[in-house]
Amino acid sequence: MTITTLALLGLAFSLDLLLAEPRNAVHPVAWFGHFVGALDREWVETDRGQRLVGVGIALAVPLVPALAAGGLVAFGLALDPLLGAVLAGLVLFVTISLRSLLELTETVLAATDGDLETAREKVRGLVGRDASALSPAELRSAAVESAAENLADGLVATLLPFALLAPLSLPAAAGVAAWVKGVNTLDSMLGYPDKPHGTASARLDDLVMWLPARVTAVAIAVAAGSPRALWRARRWARAPPSPNSGWPMATLACVLSVRLSKPGVYELNPEAPLPTVADGERAVTIVGRAAVVAVLVAVALAALSDAVAPTIASAATTTLESMGVRA
């Protein structure tokens, strides 16, 4: 199963490099986003009632893509093992985004050198803040921050559980990857302070992203050959309101020796200057290398999972037999 998992990782990343993301009209994540958009409304008149509705949304809605993805792969496996495996690889492909992230970051960085209107327009694809008054250096900061944060959201968070579960069950691997993507999408669309029905989604995303954000920070430090940067980043990792996004962002700030800033909200590595275009280009290179590190971690997880799979199967069989159930 390790060979199968490696092949699926290769398939997903090859498609990402060749095609980037599918067009919204055929992208399952975009379809899910439309569904979430329909839920973004006032359900009841009180904030407390909205929060209670939000708990139901957070618990139930991510199960929609999870069950769809897992069921699709299970159906494919029932027809043909190769078909099921390919479908699992396609699920991973649509839940990751690396090439689009790096290309958009590069576009914003280049536009800050003389075409601020384009930079301000394009950066909206990376961050949710108002960019109309941002300086060129602040626009570059926003792009670099997003590259670090979205490496966790758009790659590591779905890649690692997929790799861990694929040797055990392809439907489970696909389902969990889709579930995580669903949680991320809910948070990105509903998880704002002025939307009480998104509070539970934001808290769930905080929980889900706790480990991926820190793994991403380690990957950035390793990719840059600077473990000391990870240690320094601890001083500012908790400065952003999110309990997780500060880790990869602060680590990248320390690696680059730049200040990353969201005006009025946080300053990471505050004594350094804001990034130049060259700093931004270096950030894109480091984030790309960190993605490779994350893939190597995923391969190691797949090998570990494959090694313990017989033990898990044996324990399950023993448990069933002790209960009088024939495996």
Side-chain angles (χ1 to χ4, degrees), residues 4-274:
T4 300
T5 304
L6 294 179
L8 297 184
L9 296 181
L11 173 63
F13 279 92
S14 296
L15 290 173
D16 183 76
L17 292 175
L18 290 172
L19 305 176
E21 294 187 66
R23 295 180 180 179
N24 284 347
V26 295
H27 201 314
V29 177
W31 301 343
F32 182 69
H34 290 309
F35 175 49
V36 173
L39 303 176
D40 186 10
R41 63 185 182 87
E42 185 176 345
W43 294 89
V44 293
E45 294 182 355
T46 65
D47 282 357
R48 183 174 182 272
Q50 283 286 93
R51 290 191 181 92
L52 289 175
V53 171
V55 171
I57 290 173
L59 293 177
V61 172
L63 294 176
V64 174
L67 293 173
L72 179 65
V73 173
F75 179 72
L77 289 170
L79 295 178
D80 181 81
L82 179 59
L83 174 61
V86 170
L87 289 173
L90 291 176
V91 169
L92 180 60
F93 162 57
V94 299
T95 61
I96 65 173
S97 178
L98 180 62
R99 176 181 162 182
S100 293
L101 170 64
L102 298 182
E103 287 183 346
L104 184 54
T105 303
E106 289 177 327
T107 298
V108 173
L109 292 169
T112 61
D113 188 14
D115 189 359
L116 288 186
E117 289 307 311
T118 296
R120 288 176 177 138
E121 176 188 354
K122 295 295 185 181
V123 81
R124 290 201 296 258
L126 294 171
V127 297
R129 72 191 68 168
D130 180 9
S132 60
L134 296 182
S135 69
E138 288 170 336
L139 287 166
R140 290 191 288 271
S141 174
V144 170
E145 293 167 49
S146 180
E149 181 180 6
N150 285 321
L151 179 62
D153 292 342
L155 178 67
V156 176
T158 54
L159 172 66
L160 297 189
F162 182 93
L164 184 64
L165 291 175
L168 304 174
S169 168
L170 289 179
V176 168
W179 181 80
V180 171
K181 196 66 178 178
V183 171
N184 290 161
T185 304
L186 274 179
D187 176 60
S188 66
M189 296 184 68
L190 304 182
Y192 295 93
D194 62 339
K195 297 183 178 183
H197 55 294
T199 300
S201 295
R203 297 294 176 266
L204 180 59
D205 185 75
D206 290 342
L207 179 63
V208 169
M209 290 303 301
W210 192 92
L211 183 59
R214 286 153 180 79
V215 170
T216 301
V218 173
I220 289 171
V222 171
S226 179
R228 183 171 176 270
L230 185 65
W231 179 259
R232 291 183 58 224
R234 295 171 68 250
R235 295 176 59 187
W236 304 288
R238 295 177 178 82
S242 165
N244 300 315
S245 63
W247 282 96
M249 292 193 301
T251 302
L252 188 56
C254 292
V255 162
L256 298 171
S257 296
V258 300
R259 170 165 50 100
L260 298 180
S261 169
K262 184 174 182 179
V265 181
Y266 58 77
E267 300 276 341
L268 307 178
N269 199 17
E271 296 180 0
L274 287 167

